Amino acid sequence: MCDSAASLSSTKTGALIICERKTKLGEQIATGTILNCIPSTAIFGNIFFPNTPLHDGAVIIRDGIILAAGCFLPRPQKDELINKQLGSRHRAAIGMSENSDAIVVVVSEETGNISVAENGELTRGYSKDSLKRLLDNRLLPEKDANSIRENSFAGRVISKWKK
């Protein structure tokens, strides 16, 4: 996913990618189109290509698979307090992260900047490498300091994103 985010960023193609964790997102999944496909830069490029049917919604990843695309997300609880310069994708990301334990990656179509929403907070200015570090830290369980559990959800997601 990090390569995909960097590629989308370089072309200023807006994107909203949700990494589901313990909180299941069935309500949001039901608003989108079920895909059940392996993540790849080509798939993300097709989903978020401007003016296509799934472009404006969110992608939800569960167990290393793109489960659905074109999903609608909840509005943030305190929408009026969010910086007015942030668009609808960023607001949706914050809203989703307030309502679940998901990690939400946003690529701005205006600036190409990569941001991450978690626990109702948005952090901005990620590169491919800093995004990878954050996702590794948040999604990969610690078995020991130097190993990745390939059989875990996060291990499967990361290994599929690397392909």
Side-chain angles (χ1 to χ4, degrees):
M1 179 172 70
C2 300
D3 288 334
S4 299
S7 176
L8 294 165
S9 172
S10 72
T11 59
K12 293 186 179 178
T13 302
L16 187 54
I17 304 167
I18 301 167
C19 300
E20 183 185 71
R21 297 198 308 186
K22 290 181 183 174
T23 305
K24 298 303 177 203
L25 305 176
E27 190 175 318
Q28 289 74 36
I29 290 165
T31 67
T33 299
I34 301 298
L35 297 180
N36 279 321
C37 65
I38 296 171
S40 70
T41 300
I43 294 290
F44 283 119
N46 281 339
I47 291 170
F48 293 114
F49 191 80
N51 302 317
T52 58
L54 303 177
H55 168 73
D56 285 328
V59 162
I60 298 177
I61 297 176
R62 174 187 285 171
D63 295 330
I65 298 295
I66 296 176
L67 184 56
C71 301
F72 293 103
L73 303 181
R75 293 178 56 98
Q77 294 171 9
K78 297 180 181 175
D79 196 33
E80 69 279 356
L81 299 178
I82 296 173
N83 184 330
K84 301 297 181 211
Q85 292 179 344
L86 295 177
S88 58
R89 273 192 188 84
H90 294 84
R91 292 173 185 283
I94 292 167
M96 186 77 261
S97 74
E98 289 173 338
N99 290 290
S100 73
D101 63 347
I103 303 292
V104 186
V105 177
V106 184
V107 178
S108 169
E109 69 183 42
E110 286 80 23
T111 64
N113 288 335
I114 301 171
S115 303
V116 174
E118 182 180 20
N119 299 321
E121 299 289 327
L122 185 76
T123 53
R124 301 167 76 184
Y126 286 88
S127 66
K128 179 175 92 170
D129 293 334
S130 62
L131 179 62
K132 182 181 180 333
R133 279 192 300 277
L134 177 110
L135 294 176
D136 284 350
N137 288 333
R138 299 294 196 281
L139 297 176
L140 294 176
E142 276 192 51
K143 184 173 182 183
D144 64 56
N146 297 317
S147 70
I148 296 173
R149 291 181 51 194
E150 291 297 327
N151 292 330
S152 72
F153 156 69
R156 290 190 308 272
V157 170
I158 297 298
S159 72
K160 288 178 181 169
W161 287 340
K162 287 179 180 177
K163 292 181 181 176

